[in-house]
């Protein structure tokens, strides 16, 4: 027992240390991708792992890291706390409805604004990237921001789990409903990769690792989940930073090779517009529903925080010849954390 305690305590301290510096670490990951993209570009490709003289296992770094991050998220889910949410499911149901409705409101508006731009395809590339962001489930990291803002943690956990489990159904529905907004080239690319955008990726790359983490937590003896999390969580945090570096290398590496300042500016503007509108609509819905402040904070975060890491991996897999589409995804990933920080800072004043 003493040995277990001594192992878990340094791991817990490492987790706290990493989480406190996660924002700066993400910025460093972006800087590393900008200054030294070659290792990240190498990791983006599939490599064969030799298992013997005749057998080789193909491995892709980004999906493996995403699996690790989502498995860690599932391992930390306090499923037993969901009973209270099921007894009062108004915030959970509202969050799921908004998760589907907001993309159908925001993306057509953004597409209409971009259609008047001088871009030859009417901004279809940027719209494609935003569709694949907003079609993803609620980011597991939203639970961390909920804890920082003293929000309704069971409601947020329920929203993350429910949106993740439903993503094999909701992701293809959103992609197909919004694809008519795209030019023929991008719409055809999404249709040609229907095995990924049609729910296959959401199930294999998002649902399975998260469900595996939840099941492992259930299967472990009651005293073990904290100890296992103490080892897995810091490793997953490092994995998330490596995943950020790999995704950023794909976007920024191509940008360095062929600078396109107008594209970078447009990516930032579009990502900021979609992110801000999502948070504002979530906040307005919470006020209309007259939710209590903790539930309102959780609902607002769930509306604006999507799993941008999963969408970046999906873009890499489905559209490998278009690494520039990662630029608005990376921008959205940073902006949603900034917006979440404003929500949790405003939460005590509203309470």
């Amino acid at each position: 027992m003493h040995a277990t305690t001594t192992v878990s305590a340094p791991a817990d301290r490492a987790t706290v240390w990493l989480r406190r510096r996660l924002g700066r670490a993400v910025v460093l990951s972006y800087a590393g991708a900008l200054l030294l993209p070659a290792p990240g570009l190498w990791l983006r490709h599939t490599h064969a792992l030799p298992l013997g003289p005749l057998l080789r296992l193909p491995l892709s770094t980004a999906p493996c890291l995403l699996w690790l991050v989502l498995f860690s998220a599932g391992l930390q889910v306090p499923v037993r706390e969901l009973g209270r949410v099921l007894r009062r499911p108004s915030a959970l149901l509202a969050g799921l409805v908004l998760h589907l409705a907001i993309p159908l409101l925001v993306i057509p508006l953004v597409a209409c604004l971009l259609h008047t731009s001088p871009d030859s395809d009417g901004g279809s590339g940027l719209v494609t990237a935003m569709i694949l962001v907003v079609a993803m489930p609620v980011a597991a990291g939203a639970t961390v921001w909920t804890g920082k803002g003293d929000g309704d943690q069971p409601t947020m956990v329920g929203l993350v789990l429910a949106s993740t489990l439903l993503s094999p159904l909701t992701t293809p529905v959103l992609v197909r409903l919004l694809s008519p907004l795209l030019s023929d080239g991008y719409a055809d690319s999404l249709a040609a990769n229907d095995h990924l955008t049609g729910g296959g990726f959401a199930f294999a790359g998002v649902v399975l690792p998260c469900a595996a983490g939840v099941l492992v937590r259930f299967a472990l003896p009651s005293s073990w989940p904290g100890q296992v999390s103490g080892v897995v969580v810091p490793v997953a945090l490092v994995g998330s930073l490596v995943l950020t570096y790999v995704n950023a290398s794909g976007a920024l590496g191509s940008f360095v090779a062929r600078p396109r300042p107008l594209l970078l500016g447009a990516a930032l503007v579009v990502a900021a517009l979609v992110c801000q509108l999502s948070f504002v609509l979530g906040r307005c819905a919470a006020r209309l529903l007259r939710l209590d402040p903790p539930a309102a904070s959780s609902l607002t975060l769930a509306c604006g925080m999507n799993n941008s890491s999963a969408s970046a991996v999906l873009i890499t897999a489905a559209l490998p010849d278009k690494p520039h589409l990662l630029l608005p995804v990376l921008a959205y990933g940073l902006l949603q954390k900034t917006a979440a920080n404003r929500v949790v800072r405003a939460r005590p004043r509203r309470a």
Side-chain angles (χ1 to χ4, degrees), residues 85-86 89-103 134 136-138 155-167 170 174 289 298-299 302-303:
V85 179
L86 297 178
S90 57
L92 177 64
L93 294 175
L96 291 175
V97 171
L98 288 169
H99 184 68
L100 290 174
I102 285 177
V134 297
M136 289 294 114
V138 180
T155 295
M156 179 56 77
V157 170
L159 285 168
V160 170
L161 274 182
S163 64
T164 298
L165 294 175
L166 291 173
S167 59
T170 58
L174 288 173
L289 293 171
S298 296
L299 180 66
C303 289

PDB file of all heavy atoms in Angstrom, residues 85-86 89-103 134 136-138 155-167 170 174 289 298-299 302-303:
ATOM      1  N   VAL A  85     -28.485  13.985 -12.958  1.00  0.00           N
ATOM      2  CA  VAL A  85     -28.793  14.569 -14.260  1.00  0.00           C
ATOM      3  C   VAL A  85     -30.002  13.883 -14.880  1.00  0.00           C
ATOM      4  O   VAL A  85     -30.872  14.534 -15.479  1.00  0.00           O
ATOM      5  CB  VAL A  85     -27.570  14.458 -15.190  1.00  0.00           C
ATOM      6  CG1 VAL A  85     -27.892  15.034 -16.560  1.00  0.00           C
ATOM      7  CG2 VAL A  85     -26.381  15.173 -14.587  1.00  0.00           C
ATOM      8  N   LEU A  86     -30.077  12.563 -14.741  1.00  0.00           N
ATOM      9  CA  LEU A  86     -31.200  11.834 -15.321  1.00  0.00           C
ATOM     10  C   LEU A  86     -32.505  12.144 -14.603  1.00  0.00           C
ATOM     11  O   LEU A  86     -33.583  12.050 -15.199  1.00  0.00           O
ATOM     12  CB  LEU A  86     -30.907  10.326 -15.273  1.00  0.00           C
ATOM     13  CG  LEU A  86     -29.686   9.871 -16.088  1.00  0.00           C
ATOM     14  CD1 LEU A  86     -29.459   8.386 -15.920  1.00  0.00           C
ATOM     15  CD2 LEU A  86     -29.848  10.229 -17.561  1.00  0.00           C
ATOM     16  N   PRO A  89     -33.336  16.191 -16.314  1.00  0.00           N
ATOM     17  CA  PRO A  89     -32.573  16.161 -17.572  1.00  0.00           C
ATOM     18  C   PRO A  89     -32.740  17.389 -18.465  1.00  0.00           C
ATOM     19  O   PRO A  89     -32.325  17.344 -19.615  1.00  0.00           O
ATOM     20  CB  PRO A  89     -33.161  14.920 -18.256  1.00  0.00           C
ATOM     21  CG  PRO A  89     -34.590  14.904 -17.819  1.00  0.00           C
ATOM     22  CD  PRO A  89     -34.599  15.460 -16.406  1.00  0.00           C
ATOM     23  N   SER A  90     -33.331  18.473 -17.975  1.00  0.00           N
ATOM     24  CA  SER A  90     -33.625  19.610 -18.851  1.00  0.00           C
ATOM     25  C   SER A  90     -32.355  20.197 -19.475  1.00  0.00           C
ATOM     26  O   SER A  90     -32.303  20.452 -20.692  1.00  0.00           O
ATOM     27  CB  SER A  90     -34.386  20.695 -18.083  1.00  0.00           C
ATOM     28  OG  SER A  90     -33.642  21.118 -16.947  1.00  0.00           O
ATOM     29  N   ALA A  91     -31.314  20.408 -18.662  1.00  0.00           N
ATOM     30  CA  ALA A  91     -30.070  20.985 -19.194  1.00  0.00           C
ATOM     31  C   ALA A  91     -29.395  20.022 -20.163  1.00  0.00           C
ATOM     32  O   ALA A  91     -28.840  20.435 -21.189  1.00  0.00           O
ATOM     33  CB  ALA A  91     -29.122  21.334 -18.050  1.00  0.00           C
ATOM     34  N   LEU A  92     -29.443  18.711 -19.844  1.00  0.00           N
ATOM     35  CA  LEU A  92     -28.822  17.712 -20.718  1.00  0.00           C
ATOM     36  C   LEU A  92     -29.521  17.679 -22.070  1.00  0.00           C
ATOM     37  O   LEU A  92     -28.862  17.707 -23.122  1.00  0.00           O
ATOM     38  CB  LEU A  92     -28.880  16.338 -20.047  1.00  0.00           C
ATOM     39  CG  LEU A  92     -28.328  15.161 -20.862  1.00  0.00           C
ATOM     40  CD1 LEU A  92     -26.847  15.342 -21.114  1.00  0.00           C
ATOM     41  CD2 LEU A  92     -28.596  13.849 -20.145  1.00  0.00           C
ATOM     42  N   LEU A  93     -30.854  17.629 -22.067  1.00  0.00           N
ATOM     43  CA  LEU A  93     -31.599  17.589 -23.323  1.00  0.00           C
ATOM     44  C   LEU A  93     -31.420  18.880 -24.115  1.00  0.00           C
ATOM     45  O   LEU A  93     -31.255  18.848 -25.342  1.00  0.00           O
ATOM     46  CB  LEU A  93     -33.080  17.342 -23.033  1.00  0.00           C
ATOM     47  CG  LEU A  93     -33.426  15.970 -22.432  1.00  0.00           C
ATOM     48  CD1 LEU A  93     -34.906  15.895 -22.086  1.00  0.00           C
ATOM     49  CD2 LEU A  93     -33.038  14.854 -23.391  1.00  0.00           C
ATOM     50  N   ALA A  94     -31.423  20.015 -23.412  1.00  0.00           N
ATOM     51  CA  ALA A  94     -31.216  21.291 -24.101  1.00  0.00           C
ATOM     52  C   ALA A  94     -29.835  21.346 -24.740  1.00  0.00           C
ATOM     53  O   ALA A  94     -29.675  21.821 -25.875  1.00  0.00           O
ATOM     54  CB  ALA A  94     -31.388  22.442 -23.114  1.00  0.00           C
ATOM     55  N   GLY A  95     -28.829  20.834 -24.030  1.00  0.00           N
ATOM     56  CA  GLY A  95     -27.478  20.831 -24.577  1.00  0.00           C
ATOM     57  C   GLY A  95     -27.360  19.981 -25.825  1.00  0.00           C
ATOM     58  O   GLY A  95     -26.705  20.364 -26.801  1.00  0.00           O
ATOM     59  N   LEU A  96     -28.000  18.812 -25.826  1.00  0.00           N
ATOM     60  CA  LEU A  96     -27.943  17.936 -27.003  1.00  0.00           C
ATOM     61  C   LEU A  96     -28.658  18.562 -28.193  1.00  0.00           C
ATOM     62  O   LEU A  96     -28.178  18.489 -29.333  1.00  0.00           O
ATOM     63  CB  LEU A  96     -28.552  16.573 -26.667  1.00  0.00           C
ATOM     64  CG  LEU A  96     -27.754  15.711 -25.682  1.00  0.00           C
ATOM     65  CD1 LEU A  96     -28.519  14.442 -25.348  1.00  0.00           C
ATOM     66  CD2 LEU A  96     -26.386  15.376 -26.262  1.00  0.00           C
ATOM     67  N   VAL A  97     -29.817  19.177 -27.945  1.00  0.00           N
ATOM     68  CA  VAL A  97     -30.551  19.830 -29.035  1.00  0.00           C
ATOM     69  C   VAL A  97     -29.737  20.992 -29.603  1.00  0.00           C
ATOM     70  O   VAL A  97     -29.624  21.157 -30.833  1.00  0.00           O
ATOM     71  CB  VAL A  97     -31.927  20.312 -28.541  1.00  0.00           C
ATOM     72  CG1 VAL A  97     -32.595  21.186 -29.595  1.00  0.00           C
ATOM     73  CG2 VAL A  97     -32.819  19.123 -28.209  1.00  0.00           C
ATOM     74  N   LEU A  98     -29.167  21.794 -28.719  1.00  0.00           N
ATOM     75  CA  LEU A  98     -28.359  22.923 -29.181  1.00  0.00           C
ATOM     76  C   LEU A  98     -27.104  22.461 -29.919  1.00  0.00           C
ATOM     77  O   LEU A  98     -26.645  23.116 -30.863  1.00  0.00           O
ATOM     78  CB  LEU A  98     -27.972  23.801 -27.994  1.00  0.00           C
ATOM     79  CG  LEU A  98     -29.102  24.635 -27.397  1.00  0.00           C
ATOM     80  CD1 LEU A  98     -28.660  25.251 -26.073  1.00  0.00           C
ATOM     81  CD2 LEU A  98     -29.534  25.728 -28.363  1.00  0.00           C
ATOM     82  N   HIS A  99     -26.546  21.346 -29.480  1.00  0.00           N
ATOM     83  CA  HIS A  99     -25.351  20.813 -30.137  1.00  0.00           C
ATOM     84  C   HIS A  99     -25.627  20.503 -31.607  1.00  0.00           C
ATOM     85  O   HIS A  99     -24.734  20.622 -32.455  1.00  0.00           O
ATOM     86  CB  HIS A  99     -24.890  19.546 -29.409  1.00  0.00           C
ATOM     87  CG  HIS A  99     -23.627  18.966 -29.944  1.00  0.00           C
ATOM     88  ND1 HIS A  99     -22.399  19.591 -29.819  1.00  0.00           N
ATOM     89  CD2 HIS A  99     -23.382  17.818 -30.632  1.00  0.00           C
ATOM     90  CE1 HIS A  99     -21.472  18.859 -30.393  1.00  0.00           C
ATOM     91  NE2 HIS A  99     -22.039  17.779 -30.902  1.00  0.00           N
ATOM     92  N   LEU A 100     -26.862  20.119 -31.916  1.00  0.00           N
ATOM     93  CA  LEU A 100     -27.250  19.867 -33.301  1.00  0.00           C
ATOM     94  C   LEU A 100     -27.749  21.124 -33.996  1.00  0.00           C
ATOM     95  O   LEU A 100     -27.535  21.306 -35.196  1.00  0.00           O
ATOM     96  CB  LEU A 100     -28.346  18.792 -33.344  1.00  0.00           C
ATOM     97  CG  LEU A 100     -27.929  17.368 -32.993  1.00  0.00           C
ATOM     98  CD1 LEU A 100     -29.154  16.466 -32.933  1.00  0.00           C
ATOM     99  CD2 LEU A 100     -26.935  16.836 -34.008  1.00  0.00           C
ATOM    100  N   ALA A 101     -28.430  21.994 -33.249  1.00  0.00           N
ATOM    101  CA  ALA A 101     -29.073  23.153 -33.873  1.00  0.00           C
ATOM    102  C   ALA A 101     -28.086  24.273 -34.189  1.00  0.00           C
ATOM    103  O   ALA A 101     -28.206  24.930 -35.241  1.00  0.00           O
ATOM    104  CB  ALA A 101     -30.176  23.674 -32.960  1.00  0.00           C
ATOM    105  N   ILE A 102     -27.124  24.515 -33.308  1.00  0.00           N
ATOM    106  CA  ILE A 102     -26.216  25.644 -33.506  1.00  0.00           C
ATOM    107  C   ILE A 102     -25.438  25.550 -34.818  1.00  0.00           C
ATOM    108  O   ILE A 102     -25.328  26.546 -35.553  1.00  0.00           O
ATOM    109  CB  ILE A 102     -25.285  25.800 -32.287  1.00  0.00           C
ATOM    110  CG1 ILE A 102     -26.073  26.402 -31.119  1.00  0.00           C
ATOM    111  CG2 ILE A 102     -24.083  26.685 -32.611  1.00  0.00           C
ATOM    112  CD1 ILE A 102     -25.281  26.549 -29.838  1.00  0.00           C
ATOM    113  N   PRO A 103     -24.870  24.388 -35.191  1.00  0.00           N
ATOM    114  CA  PRO A 103     -24.197  24.322 -36.497  1.00  0.00           C
ATOM    115  C   PRO A 103     -25.117  24.663 -37.664  1.00  0.00           C
ATOM    116  O   PRO A 103     -24.682  25.295 -38.635  1.00  0.00           O
ATOM    117  CB  PRO A 103     -23.742  22.856 -36.581  1.00  0.00           C
ATOM    118  CG  PRO A 103     -23.600  22.428 -35.164  1.00  0.00           C
ATOM    119  CD  PRO A 103     -24.691  23.145 -34.426  1.00  0.00           C
ATOM    120  N   VAL A 134     -17.652  21.633 -35.930  1.00  0.00           N
ATOM    121  CA  VAL A 134     -18.906  21.708 -35.180  1.00  0.00           C
ATOM    122  C   VAL A 134     -19.681  20.392 -35.203  1.00  0.00           C
ATOM    123  O   VAL A 134     -20.590  20.191 -34.386  1.00  0.00           O
ATOM    124  CB  VAL A 134     -19.800  22.849 -35.719  1.00  0.00           C
ATOM    125  CG1 VAL A 134     -19.118  24.187 -35.537  1.00  0.00           C
ATOM    126  CG2 VAL A 134     -20.172  22.622 -37.187  1.00  0.00           C
ATOM    127  N   MET A 136     -18.320  17.571 -34.498  1.00  0.00           N
ATOM    128  CA  MET A 136     -17.721  16.713 -33.485  1.00  0.00           C
ATOM    129  C   MET A 136     -18.460  16.824 -32.156  1.00  0.00           C
ATOM    130  O   MET A 136     -19.143  17.823 -31.897  1.00  0.00           O
ATOM    131  CB  MET A 136     -16.248  17.100 -33.277  1.00  0.00           C
ATOM    132  CG  MET A 136     -15.328  16.723 -34.433  1.00  0.00           C
ATOM    133  SD  MET A 136     -15.159  14.940 -34.646  1.00  0.00           S
ATOM    134  CE  MET A 136     -15.950  14.743 -36.241  1.00  0.00           C
ATOM    135  N   PRO A 137     -18.329  15.816 -31.284  1.00  0.00           N
ATOM    136  CA  PRO A 137     -18.984  15.898 -29.968  1.00  0.00           C
ATOM    137  C   PRO A 137     -18.350  16.960 -29.074  1.00  0.00           C
ATOM    138  O   PRO A 137     -17.324  17.555 -29.421  1.00  0.00           O
ATOM    139  CB  PRO A 137     -18.778  14.491 -29.392  1.00  0.00           C
ATOM    140  CG  PRO A 137     -17.582  13.953 -30.101  1.00  0.00           C
ATOM    141  CD  PRO A 137     -17.640  14.541 -31.484  1.00  0.00           C
ATOM    142  N   VAL A 138     -18.991  17.199 -27.932  1.00  0.00           N
ATOM    143  CA  VAL A 138     -18.478  18.160 -26.961  1.00  0.00           C
ATOM    144  C   VAL A 138     -17.091  17.712 -26.492  1.00  0.00           C
ATOM    145  O   VAL A 138     -16.873  16.533 -26.203  1.00  0.00           O
ATOM    146  CB  VAL A 138     -19.428  18.286 -25.757  1.00  0.00           C
ATOM    147  CG1 VAL A 138     -18.888  19.289 -24.742  1.00  0.00           C
ATOM    148  CG2 VAL A 138     -20.818  18.697 -26.212  1.00  0.00           C
ATOM    149  N   THR A 155     -23.871  17.499 -15.192  1.00  0.00           N
ATOM    150  CA  THR A 155     -24.500  17.866 -16.461  1.00  0.00           C
ATOM    151  C   THR A 155     -23.488  17.895 -17.583  1.00  0.00           C
ATOM    152  O   THR A 155     -23.735  17.408 -18.691  1.00  0.00           O
ATOM    153  CB  THR A 155     -25.189  19.240 -16.335  1.00  0.00           C
ATOM    154  OG1 THR A 155     -26.271  19.138 -15.408  1.00  0.00           O
ATOM    155  CG2 THR A 155     -25.733  19.709 -17.678  1.00  0.00           C
ATOM    156  N   MET A 156     -22.310  18.469 -17.307  1.00  0.00           N
ATOM    157  CA  MET A 156     -21.283  18.517 -18.339  1.00  0.00           C
ATOM    158  C   MET A 156     -20.798  17.122 -18.704  1.00  0.00           C
ATOM    159  O   MET A 156     -20.606  16.795 -19.894  1.00  0.00           O
ATOM    160  CB  MET A 156     -20.109  19.378 -17.868  1.00  0.00           C
ATOM    161  CG  MET A 156     -18.968  19.458 -18.890  1.00  0.00           C
ATOM    162  SD  MET A 156     -19.513  20.069 -20.499  1.00  0.00           S
ATOM    163  CE  MET A 156     -19.649  21.819 -20.153  1.00  0.00           C
ATOM    164  N   VAL A 157     -20.589  16.274 -17.712  1.00  0.00           N
ATOM    165  CA  VAL A 157     -20.175  14.899 -17.989  1.00  0.00           C
ATOM    166  C   VAL A 157     -21.229  14.198 -18.839  1.00  0.00           C
ATOM    167  O   VAL A 157     -20.914  13.473 -19.791  1.00  0.00           O
ATOM    168  CB  VAL A 157     -19.930  14.131 -16.670  1.00  0.00           C
ATOM    169  CG1 VAL A 157     -19.733  12.645 -16.939  1.00  0.00           C
ATOM    170  CG2 VAL A 157     -18.704  14.693 -15.954  1.00  0.00           C
ATOM    171  N   GLY A 158     -22.507  14.417 -18.494  1.00  0.00           N
ATOM    172  CA  GLY A 158     -23.577  13.824 -19.285  1.00  0.00           C
ATOM    173  C   GLY A 158     -23.580  14.312 -20.724  1.00  0.00           C
ATOM    174  O   GLY A 158     -23.796  13.535 -21.659  1.00  0.00           O
ATOM    175  N   LEU A 159     -23.315  15.611 -20.927  1.00  0.00           N
ATOM    176  CA  LEU A 159     -23.282  16.161 -22.282  1.00  0.00           C
ATOM    177  C   LEU A 159     -22.110  15.604 -23.086  1.00  0.00           C
ATOM    178  O   LEU A 159     -22.245  15.290 -24.276  1.00  0.00           O
ATOM    179  CB  LEU A 159     -23.200  17.685 -22.216  1.00  0.00           C
ATOM    180  CG  LEU A 159     -24.488  18.404 -21.827  1.00  0.00           C
ATOM    181  CD1 LEU A 159     -24.227  19.870 -21.508  1.00  0.00           C
ATOM    182  CD2 LEU A 159     -25.512  18.288 -22.944  1.00  0.00           C
ATOM    183  N   VAL A 160     -20.950  15.478 -22.443  1.00  0.00           N
ATOM    184  CA  VAL A 160     -19.787  14.917 -23.132  1.00  0.00           C
ATOM    185  C   VAL A 160     -20.062  13.467 -23.522  1.00  0.00           C
ATOM    186  O   VAL A 160     -19.832  13.059 -24.677  1.00  0.00           O
ATOM    187  CB  VAL A 160     -18.531  15.020 -22.245  1.00  0.00           C
ATOM    188  CG1 VAL A 160     -17.379  14.229 -22.859  1.00  0.00           C
ATOM    189  CG2 VAL A 160     -18.122  16.475 -22.065  1.00  0.00           C
ATOM    190  N   LEU A 161     -20.570  12.683 -22.571  1.00  0.00           N
ATOM    191  CA  LEU A 161     -20.825  11.271 -22.860  1.00  0.00           C
ATOM    192  C   LEU A 161     -21.919  11.095 -23.909  1.00  0.00           C
ATOM    193  O   LEU A 161     -21.768  10.313 -24.862  1.00  0.00           O
ATOM    194  CB  LEU A 161     -21.234  10.547 -21.575  1.00  0.00           C
ATOM    195  CG  LEU A 161     -20.116  10.008 -20.689  1.00  0.00           C
ATOM    196  CD1 LEU A 161     -20.706   9.289 -19.490  1.00  0.00           C
ATOM    197  CD2 LEU A 161     -19.215   9.057 -21.464  1.00  0.00           C
ATOM    198  N   ALA A 162     -23.040  11.806 -23.738  1.00  0.00           N
ATOM    199  CA  ALA A 162     -24.157  11.631 -24.658  1.00  0.00           C
ATOM    200  C   ALA A 162     -23.792  12.073 -26.069  1.00  0.00           C
ATOM    201  O   ALA A 162     -24.096  11.377 -27.055  1.00  0.00           O
ATOM    202  CB  ALA A 162     -25.374  12.408 -24.152  1.00  0.00           C
ATOM    203  N   SER A 163     -23.134  13.238 -26.203  1.00  0.00           N
ATOM    204  CA  SER A 163     -22.756  13.706 -27.542  1.00  0.00           C
ATOM    205  C   SER A 163     -21.723  12.783 -28.181  1.00  0.00           C
ATOM    206  O   SER A 163     -21.724  12.589 -29.404  1.00  0.00           O
ATOM    207  CB  SER A 163     -22.224  15.139 -27.469  1.00  0.00           C
ATOM    208  OG  SER A 163     -21.032  15.207 -26.704  1.00  0.00           O
ATOM    209  N   THR A 164     -20.846  12.199 -27.363  1.00  0.00           N
ATOM    210  CA  THR A 164     -19.860  11.261 -27.891  1.00  0.00           C
ATOM    211  C   THR A 164     -20.527   9.979 -28.372  1.00  0.00           C
ATOM    212  O   THR A 164     -20.245   9.492 -29.474  1.00  0.00           O
ATOM    213  CB  THR A 164     -18.808  10.938 -26.815  1.00  0.00           C
ATOM    214  OG1 THR A 164     -18.122  12.142 -26.452  1.00  0.00           O
ATOM    215  CG2 THR A 164     -17.791   9.933 -27.333  1.00  0.00           C
ATOM    216  N   LEU A 165     -21.417   9.417 -27.562  1.00  0.00           N
ATOM    217  CA  LEU A 165     -22.078   8.175 -27.933  1.00  0.00           C
ATOM    218  C   LEU A 165     -22.991   8.354 -29.148  1.00  0.00           C
ATOM    219  O   LEU A 165     -23.167   7.414 -29.940  1.00  0.00           O
ATOM    220  CB  LEU A 165     -22.889   7.639 -26.747  1.00  0.00           C
ATOM    221  CG  LEU A 165     -22.065   7.194 -25.531  1.00  0.00           C
ATOM    222  CD1 LEU A 165     -22.979   6.801 -24.383  1.00  0.00           C
ATOM    223  CD2 LEU A 165     -21.144   6.033 -25.900  1.00  0.00           C
ATOM    224  N   LEU A 166     -23.561   9.548 -29.293  1.00  0.00           N
ATOM    225  CA  LEU A 166     -24.452   9.810 -30.433  1.00  0.00           C
ATOM    226  C   LEU A 166     -23.701  10.271 -31.684  1.00  0.00           C
ATOM    227  O   LEU A 166     -24.306  10.369 -32.756  1.00  0.00           O
ATOM    228  CB  LEU A 166     -25.480  10.877 -30.051  1.00  0.00           C
ATOM    229  CG  LEU A 166     -26.534  10.474 -29.011  1.00  0.00           C
ATOM    230  CD1 LEU A 166     -27.363  11.685 -28.612  1.00  0.00           C
ATOM    231  CD2 LEU A 166     -27.431   9.365 -29.541  1.00  0.00           C
ATOM    232  N   SER A 167     -22.405  10.557 -31.568  1.00  0.00           N
ATOM    233  CA  SER A 167     -21.661  11.141 -32.684  1.00  0.00           C
ATOM    234  C   SER A 167     -21.648  10.274 -33.951  1.00  0.00           C
ATOM    235  O   SER A 167     -21.651  10.836 -35.055  1.00  0.00           O
ATOM    236  CB  SER A 167     -20.225  11.480 -32.256  1.00  0.00           C
ATOM    237  OG  SER A 167     -19.535  10.329 -31.812  1.00  0.00           O
ATOM    238  N   THR A 170     -24.970  11.614 -35.277  1.00  0.00           N
ATOM    239  CA  THR A 170     -25.120  13.053 -35.473  1.00  0.00           C
ATOM    240  C   THR A 170     -24.083  13.633 -36.430  1.00  0.00           C
ATOM    241  O   THR A 170     -24.403  14.542 -37.209  1.00  0.00           O
ATOM    242  CB  THR A 170     -25.029  13.781 -34.127  1.00  0.00           C
ATOM    243  OG1 THR A 170     -23.769  13.478 -33.506  1.00  0.00           O
ATOM    244  CG2 THR A 170     -26.156  13.341 -33.197  1.00  0.00           C
ATOM    245  N   LEU A 174     -25.087  15.984 -39.699  1.00  0.00           N
ATOM    246  CA  LEU A 174     -24.682  17.382 -39.841  1.00  0.00           C
ATOM    247  C   LEU A 174     -23.858  17.599 -41.107  1.00  0.00           C
ATOM    248  O   LEU A 174     -24.052  18.592 -41.823  1.00  0.00           O
ATOM    249  CB  LEU A 174     -23.893  17.818 -38.613  1.00  0.00           C
ATOM    250  CG  LEU A 174     -24.700  17.994 -37.321  1.00  0.00           C
ATOM    251  CD1 LEU A 174     -23.769  18.260 -36.142  1.00  0.00           C
ATOM    252  CD2 LEU A 174     -25.693  19.141 -37.471  1.00  0.00           C
ATOM    253  N   LEU A 289     -33.998  29.401 -20.919  1.00  0.00           N
ATOM    254  CA  LEU A 289     -34.453  28.238 -20.149  1.00  0.00           C
ATOM    255  C   LEU A 289     -34.462  28.509 -18.644  1.00  0.00           C
ATOM    256  O   LEU A 289     -34.922  27.666 -17.878  1.00  0.00           O
ATOM    257  CB  LEU A 289     -33.555  27.043 -20.456  1.00  0.00           C
ATOM    258  CG  LEU A 289     -33.645  26.479 -21.880  1.00  0.00           C
ATOM    259  CD1 LEU A 289     -32.545  25.459 -22.115  1.00  0.00           C
ATOM    260  CD2 LEU A 289     -35.009  25.874 -22.138  1.00  0.00           C
ATOM    261  N   SER A 298     -22.385  25.347 -17.613  1.00  0.00           N
ATOM    262  CA  SER A 298     -22.060  24.090 -18.284  1.00  0.00           C
ATOM    263  C   SER A 298     -22.666  24.043 -19.683  1.00  0.00           C
ATOM    264  O   SER A 298     -22.028  23.593 -20.644  1.00  0.00           O
ATOM    265  CB  SER A 298     -22.558  22.907 -17.459  1.00  0.00           C
ATOM    266  OG  SER A 298     -21.885  22.852 -16.210  1.00  0.00           O
ATOM    267  N   LEU A 299     -23.910  24.512 -19.815  1.00  0.00           N
ATOM    268  CA  LEU A 299     -24.558  24.509 -21.122  1.00  0.00           C
ATOM    269  C   LEU A 299     -23.827  25.427 -22.094  1.00  0.00           C
ATOM    270  O   LEU A 299     -23.614  25.072 -23.262  1.00  0.00           O
ATOM    271  CB  LEU A 299     -26.013  24.946 -20.970  1.00  0.00           C
ATOM    272  CG  LEU A 299     -26.844  24.991 -22.265  1.00  0.00           C
ATOM    273  CD1 LEU A 299     -27.007  23.589 -22.830  1.00  0.00           C
ATOM    274  CD2 LEU A 299     -28.199  25.618 -22.022  1.00  0.00           C
ATOM    275  N   ALA A 302     -20.655  23.751 -23.216  1.00  0.00           N
ATOM    276  CA  ALA A 302     -20.912  22.619 -24.111  1.00  0.00           C
ATOM    277  C   ALA A 302     -21.263  23.089 -25.518  1.00  0.00           C
ATOM    278  O   ALA A 302     -20.933  22.419 -26.499  1.00  0.00           O
ATOM    279  CB  ALA A 302     -22.044  21.760 -23.549  1.00  0.00           C
ATOM    280  N   CYS A 303     -21.928  24.237 -25.627  1.00  0.00           N
ATOM    281  CA  CYS A 303     -22.308  24.747 -26.944  1.00  0.00           C
ATOM    282  C   CYS A 303     -21.102  25.248 -27.735  1.00  0.00           C
ATOM    283  O   CYS A 303     -21.098  25.200 -28.969  1.00  0.00           O
ATOM    284  CB  CYS A 303     -23.326  25.868 -26.799  1.00  0.00           C
ATOM    285  SG  CYS A 303     -24.961  25.299 -26.270  1.00  0.00           S
TER     286      CYS A 303
END
